[in-house]
Amino acid sequence: MEKTEGEVLKERLFNTKKSGWNGMSEEENRQVFQFANDYMYYLNQAKTEKEIVQFSKEILLKNDFKELKDVESLNPGDKVFWVNRNRSLYIAVIGQEKLENGLKMVGAQGDSPRIDLKQNPLYEENEVALLKTHYYGGIKKYQWATVPLALHGIVAKTNGERIWISIGEEETDPVFYITDLPPHLSRGGQDARKLSEGIEAEELNIVAGTMPYEDEKVSEKVKLNILRLLNEKYGIKEVDFTSSELEFVPAYKARSIGFDESLIGAYGQDDKICCYTSLRSILEVNNPTKTAICILTDREEIGFCGVTGMESRSFERFIIELLEKRGENTPGMIEKVYSNSQAISADVDAGFDPTFSSYYDTRNSCRLGHGVCICKYTGARGKSGASEAPAEFVAEIRRIFDENKVAYCSSELGKVDKGGGGTIAVTFANRGIDTIDIGVPVLSMHAPYELTSKFDVYDAYRAYRAFLQQ
Ligand code: MN
């Protein structure tokens, strides 16, 4: 049947977005699922910012990237990286044009919300050894009780030794646990608390053990027994917790979700989903016009601060070294580079959740399976704190995506008075770099187990690759 004039006109003028699964070829379907398997493997290998840097570095070395310090001078096509204190990673593929003409950057973050140990964590109460914690990032605290937790991190000793600890990822490993009251006891008391106070921060205590050290003469026998075990296995004493970074993360593995297996459930997809997709994309960037940069930063979840966060001038150290090794480092050059540069802040967005539809503006929300979401501005309540991308830059992004058949939608984080949030976009914009947020929709963001679409993972990889290769 021939289309009516109105139908043709509507097709031409309306901004109608379809699910990426519609009309997908068998070959593309195979690629989407293969990519998702690779991504889930990456998630299972790297659950913390340090493991993201470590594992990503291994991938870079296998793909002919070199450490920047080992390279005397840089030429177009060269592939290098710099690791900042084992916690953030900056990668470059040198372009044909001078750095002065600007860089193309994609920045994601390897840290995710989690439960950190306090520096004086171990105590014993009623013959149970417990660990005090301080949560990291914005979490709904009640979600983290009664969940199997794995322990990842490092203990730095005064002799310079650094001990890596990972307990709870192997099938035969023990895991850790935060308790909650049974419903039989919480009626009238805990049940009447507000949801945000269901479990309070000082109730996020980790159960560490119950077996006593056999000696009638000593007190705190269970605590002593735990310290004995830690000392035998890792050579540490209680005081060594002072200089430790020990993080509890869900012990779950990444899994396919749903009868059709179209979704992914995993811990830390915010923002390891953008780490993996941007890393994979820069692996495939060859001889770009402008120098392509991929950043896996740290400390996004607590405000981009600290020496490994995106606000730190550690980033300048990397760019200046690139300039030096290209023979372009003249006074004021870095500002010139920035003013000609463009960046994607690669971070997730809150995907539309039909169960909680009243929290979203349905016309301005990203949907699972509809590709990457372009977020022109973040911020909250009146765009407060937003770096907002200029319309001209958004148009250029649209052109790149259209030319490369990248699916995208435009979104913001929930209803105006209800939602909002911030990303590292502002740290690029403050440096004079045109910046936009482009990421992947996630359901149950910041929960111990987050939900994404396999189509969107693949689409993000294609989006970042198209942008960097330009
Ligand atoms: Mn986040």
Side-chain angles (χ1 to χ4, degrees), residues 31-58:
Q31 286 171 3
V32 167
F33 276 78
Q34 178 56 51
F35 193 89
N37 286 342
D38 296 344
Y39 166 55
M40 289 192 280
Y41 179 77
Y42 180 83
L43 288 175
N44 290 338
Q45 302 305 310
K47 286 193 173 175
T48 68
E49 72 295 340
K50 294 181 201 72
E51 291 168 359
I52 284 285
V53 167
Q54 184 61 31
F55 191 50
S56 301
K57 180 180 160 180
E58 284 170 29

Side-chain angles (χ1 to χ4, degrees), residues 109 113 270 300-301 347-348 445-446:
Q109 116 245 359
D270 173 9
E300 192 276 345
E301 294 295 352
D347 204 346
V348 300
M445 197 199 294
H446 288 198

Side-chain angles (χ1 to χ4, degrees), residues 56 58 122 130 134 251 331 441:
S56 301
E58 284 170 29
L122 182 60
L130 293 151
H134 193 139

Side-chain angles (χ1 to χ4, degrees), residues 263-306:
L263 303 157
I264 296 168
Y267 161 70
Q269 298 202 68
D270 173 9
D271 186 34
K272 294 169 178 67
I273 197 166
C274 296
C275 290
Y276 187 66
T277 49
S278 59
L279 177 70
R280 277 286 296 263
S281 70
I282 201 160
L283 294 183
E284 291 176 22
V285 169
N286 285 307
N287 282 311
T289 313
K290 297 205 163 152
T291 292
I293 307 271
C294 171
I295 303 155
L296 308 187
T297 182
D298 181 25
R299 303 177 76 84
E300 192 276 345
E301 294 295 352
I302 55 170
F304 342 121
C305 40

